Each structure stands twice: as C-alpha cells, then as structure tokens.
Amino acid sequence: MLHRRHLLQALGASALGMHSASAMAAPGAQDARFLLVFLRGGYDCASLLVPTASSYYYETRPNIAIPRPGQDGGALPLTADWGLHPVLADSMLPLYQQRQLAFVPFAGTDDLSRSHFDTQDSMELGQPVGGRRDYRSGFLNRLVAELNPRTGNNTPATVMLQPMAFTSTLPLVLRGAVDVPNTLLSAGAGRGGVDARQAQLIESMYRGTPLAAPVAEGFATREEVARTMQGEMEAASRNALSTKGFEGTARRMARLMQARYQIGFVDVGGWDTHVGQGAATGALANRFEELGRGLAGFADEMGPAWKSTVVVVVSEFGRTFRENGNRGTDHGHGTVFWVLGGGLSGGRVAGEQQTLNASTLFQNRDYPVLNDYRAVLGGLFARMYGLNAAAVARVFPRTKGTDLRLV
C-alpha cells in the first residue's frame, strides 16, 4: 500500500524562489525544445497510471479497473504502488525504462468549476485562479517573451526561440505579445470505439443464442447514451485532433521542431469518457495506444534533438475515482501529467503523493491536487531555460516553481 506522504519523492522537490538564473542555468538552453500536449476532455488518469496498491480502486471500479500486474490484461508494473496501462507496453514502457518518461500524479489546478471550457481556459492562461482573466495572455506566450531579447518597452525585439501551434486556430496558451503562427498538420477526425457496422457483426454472431437479446439491448442502450453524450465530447474537444492518425501528425511535428521551432503546442480530443470507456481493452485503451504510438514516434523522429527536448502531456482535470452507472467516469479534479524527454531524469513517479482510499479523495470523489500545474511547469522551465524566481513569476504570476528535478 502506498504510504501517506505529503512530501516530494526521494529525488525530491524544492521551491525555486531562492535560485538565481545563473544557479539554474541549463547548458544549451537555446537548443532546448518544449512541446505541450493538451488532452482535451479530461482523461481518466486512473486507467493510465494505475494505483495498483489501492484496494479501494478495485472496489469502486468493478467493471473498468485495470487488473493488477500479473493478471490477464494487467497493468505493467512501474513501482510498488503504480502500474501502467498495458496497451503502452511497446510505446511508453520502453521510454520509462530508459528513464525518458516520468509521471506526476495528483497534478492539476485549483479551479473547481469542473467545466471543460472554464478549466481549459484557466490552465492555458496560467493566471491565478479567482482573479480577473486576461484572455490576451497565455503562459506559453509569456514564456516565449521571457526567453527572447527585449526592447526598451519590455516587449520581445527579435523572436529567436520560435513557437508554433499545431492547431487549426491559435490557442489561448500562445496568445499574447509575441506573434505566433499556427498550422493544422492533420484534419483527421476519426472516432474510436465500435462503429455501427461492427455492432451489427457482433449482434449477428450471437443471433439465435441465449445472449442475443442482452447483446442487442446492450448496443441499443449504448447508442442511446452515446447520442446523448456525443455533443458534449465534441464540444469538450474544441476541434482538437483525434488520436486516430496521431502518430503521423506527431512525426510531422517532430520534423518541424527539429528544424525550426523550439516551442510547440498541440491538443488532442476525445477524452470525455462518460460512457463505456472500457478497461484493458475498449475505447479508452484504443486512445491510449494511439497516443502512446504518436508520442513514441515523435521521440524517434526528433533524432539527436530528442536529447534536449521535453514533452509534457496535461489535461484540464481527471475523472471520478469511482466508475459511474454507464461504466464510464465523470468530471473530476486531480490528474496525472506525463513528462518525456531524451535528457530526462525519469523512470519514476514524481511529486507529492498520498494514499488513495475513501478518506483521502477530494470531496469524496476525485484525486486531490497536490502538485499545482503552474508550480510544476514553472520549476521545469527554470531548469530548462535557467529562469530565476522573478522570471518564473512573470510566466506564472504569484507562483514559485517547484523543482521535481526532472531535467
């Protein structure tokens, strides 16, 4: 069982407020590349990074829990407390074993709206929760401004570290004083799960058997619920890419970032799994597999530049710890960040953690947020680019970076 610990892992974290830029300067910071991947829709982090030591997880997810390591379809063991979804065996597990991948659970924002749109906006802006929002200033744009030479009026003179949004429209996170281009590298909008033709084939397999009626009824219920939820999922995705074909898109992004762009952003939709998300197999597993292949393809395509590249995968929130009546999960709070890179100090589950049981859930339903995303990213940027405390606070106002020693 994971022991309660309101402290940072042995490899530790410390406030960056006292570090100077020179103390934190990262060798070759000008060569560093950073890609932010936003999973729109709030993905189920408990199916990705599986709390295998939590008996409560298995009690509250009788249909969608990922089995323990060693069982059929079981999680891939990472630590004594955590496992990885089995569909990532060929893509993410090798990077983890090479210390090029780490996970930060109990991560997220203090925004409690549980609204896709409000929370996505809040995270992309990177401004203090509860204050007046400036929709003209996203945190990645502020980072670009911080990293480039400034003129007398404190605006970037020449943008030497080039940003790019791999999206159909410019996202909030890259809006601001620096002009940022955007381009959509793939217009694919594939949908996961069982389509109508496959459902008919499955029904025909059971026709004339005692299971015919339950199978037909199950598909009818699934279709009815899916029609109800489809509009919400599409809206929550905000025209983001689907995981279908993401590997090709990711490789194209890598070629562009290897040659020209140092800071990138891409969003991937389809994570609002209220209904039939599945377990070791199923709709969510398919998305994880496609996303994992894409991220592994990105790493491969970066070539030697992968050594100085960091990729962070975030989502606006996690999902309820318990499954719902539709064998899915609802809007939650804390989530799990992925951090990848060729020069990473990975192969671990980092950040503040605690036992997962009925008494430690946030509002008796969700992962709590113990690792604020602004502090985590602020600490990461400090290490990557040598930012001092004042610079981190300009990127993330009223925030001190937390050093998880990931790079």
Side-chain angles (χ1 to χ4, degrees):
M1 175 63 64
L2 180 66
H3 298 292
R4 178 184 297 276
R5 51 189 184 274
H6 288 283
L7 49 85
L8 298 172
Q9 294 263 113
L11 289 171
S14 59
L16 294 177
M18 300 302 294
H19 289 291
S20 67
S22 58
M24 291 300 298
Q30 288 294 110
D31 297 325
R33 291 166 174 82
F34 177 77
L35 175 67
L36 182 66
V37 180
F38 203 122
L39 305 184
R40 296 198 188 274
Y43 86 100
D44 180 37
C45 62
S47 290
L48 179 280
L49 184 67
V50 185
T52 53
S54 171
S55 59
Y56 191 64
Y57 168 78
Y58 292 98
E59 292 169 13
T60 59
R61 292 191 169 207
N63 299 293
I64 65 170
I66 308 302
R68 287 187 170 92
Q71 299 179 2
D72 186 31
L76 308 168
L78 299 182
T79 72
D81 306 311
W82 302 100
L84 185 64
H85 197 291
V87 297
L88 298 170
D90 296 330
S91 58
M92 293 295 97
L93 184 61
L95 291 178
Y96 183 89
Q97 292 170 335
Q98 295 163 29
R99 303 190 66 201
Q100 296 179 18
L101 169 62
F103 295 102
V104 183
F106 305 98
T109 171
D110 289 336
D111 188 303
L112 296 179
S113 67
R114 289 196 177 86
S115 158
H116 294 295
F117 316 111
D118 285 348
T119 314
Q120 287 174 18
D121 289 354
S122 176
M123 287 192 70
E124 290 187 61
L125 294 173
Q127 300 161 15
V129 172
R132 183 176 179 180
R133 291 179 179 176
D134 180 359
Y135 284 89
R136 301 164 299 176
S137 180
F139 77 79
L140 274 188
N141 195 290
R142 295 195 295 274
L143 175 66
V144 174
E146 197 64 43
L147 296 175
N148 286 287
R150 293 171 175 270
T151 62
N153 62 4
N154 210 34
T155 58
T158 304
V159 179
M160 299 177 66
L161 291 181
Q162 295 286 342
M164 169 61 83
F166 300 102
T167 54
S168 58
T169 59
L170 188 65
L172 283 180
V173 73
L174 277 166
R175 294 182 188 176
V178 180
D179 289 333
V180 178
N182 65 281
T183 183
L184 185 64
L185 297 180
S186 172
R191 297 178 182 176
V194 178
D195 60 27
R197 183 186 63 82
Q198 292 168 326
Q200 289 174 355
L201 287 173
I202 294 172
E203 285 190 62
S204 69
M205 290 169 56
Y206 289 95
R207 195 169 294 133
T209 74
L211 291 175
V215 168
E217 182 180 348
F219 276 120
T221 302
R222 173 183 173 275
E223 274 302 306
E224 181 179 354
V225 176
R227 281 195 300 272
T228 303
M229 303 308 305
Q230 186 61 40
E232 180 180 346
M233 178 176 283
E234 290 176 352
S237 295
R238 286 186 163 180
N239 295 318
L241 295 171
S242 164
T243 52
K244 292 288 186 183
F246 180 65
E247 181 178 358
T249 299
R251 287 184 178 275
R252 288 189 285 276
M253 287 193 302
R255 289 193 288 271
L256 286 170
M257 290 192 70
Q258 183 186 58
R260 180 172 179 180
Y261 300 103
Q262 293 79 36
I263 294 177
F265 174 88
V266 67
D267 48 10
V268 183
W271 303 96
D272 196 24
T273 53
H274 289 278
V275 179
Q277 71 176 44
T281 60
L284 183 60
N286 293 341
R287 292 188 179 97
F288 280 147
E289 184 177 18
E290 291 156 354
L291 180 67
R293 277 204 313 269
L295 293 171
F298 180 89
D300 177 65
E301 200 70 38
M302 287 299 292
W306 178 239
K307 189 70 176 176
S308 57
T309 298
V310 174
V311 178
V312 177
V313 181
V314 304
S315 194
E316 66 263 35
F317 43 62
R319 304 194 74 80
T320 48
F321 198 67
R322 304 175 184 88
E323 68 178 70
N324 62 26
N326 293 316
R327 300 194 176 191
T329 48
D330 299 320
H331 298 179
H333 187 45
T335 186
V336 174
F337 293 170
W338 318 18
V339 186
L340 305 89
L344 209 68
S345 177
R348 59 193 175 99
V349 179
E352 190 173 351
Q353 300 168 43
Q354 69 179 28
T355 302
L356 284 167
N357 56 43
S359 65
T360 60
L361 295 183
F362 176 73
Q363 296 183 347
N364 193 35
R365 54 174 280 160
D366 308 319
Y367 272 73
V369 171
L370 306 178
N371 301 291
D372 178 79
Y373 84 102
R374 301 197 313 149
V376 171
L377 290 176
L380 185 64
F381 294 157
R383 280 206 166 257
M384 289 181 66
Y385 302 111
L387 302 184
N388 60 22
V392 169
R394 285 191 290 270
V395 177
F396 293 111
R398 302 209 298 271
T399 296
K400 289 184 178 180
T402 297
D403 185 8
L404 297 183
R405 303 186 183 277
L406 292 171
V407 294

